[in-house]
Amino acid sequence: MQSSAVPELAHTHARPIHWVATATAVAGVVALSSVLQPGHATAAAPGAPHTKSAPAQALPPDPADVEFPLDCGPVKLVVKKRASGDLDGDGRPETVAAVHCDAPMGTPPDGVYVITQAADAKPRLVATLVDPKDRSNVEDFAVRGGDVVATLLGYSSGDVPRCCPDVRETVKWRWENGAFVRSAPADARSV
């Protein structure tokens, strides 16, 4: 092995005091950045006349804060899917949740519920879109343009095994005159 012709420089070896100084500097930067924050962003162009500020965007209700009308016995209730959007046009988002009992065997039916939350109030259920008694399963759903759109799987008769749904239906619900109205395209049902 050949020795270096350049003498070792003192600053190339970090000593504990260097690490302490670095850690102190980083902690100072983090503390200072939590105090100094940039101003809030606005959609108005600079120099545009100020208008009344819009209220802060409300968060959609959390399904974990609601008691669903399902008796799951010794197993827990599972929120399978959720989607949020303003369904009734009041400016506050609602949450649509597909839930079922976490059965160890079989395919438990889903319930689809709409949850709302007024300002400074607890979330509450306001509608049942799919009742678990209908023995349907939700394959997929979304909130699009104020509509709840879902693909439901079901059974054509009691003779069809619960593992193998043989009916697929695309449905949508829209808030009209104080209630959710269900509709489906004519060609959306298949067996």
Side-chain angles (χ1 to χ4, degrees), residues 144 147-152 168-173 181-190:
R144 294 188 195 114
D147 293 337
V148 178
V149 181
T151 301
L152 304 178
R168 173 191 223 107
E169 181 179 19
T170 301
V171 296
K172 80 174 182 177
W173 293 268
V181 176
R182 179 177 168 165
S183 63
D187 63 341
R189 188 177 199 107
S190 63

Side-chain angles (χ1 to χ4, degrees), residues 10-21:
H11 68 275
T12 60
H13 297 286
R15 292 187 171 64
I17 191 68
H18 292 110
W19 292 113
V20 170

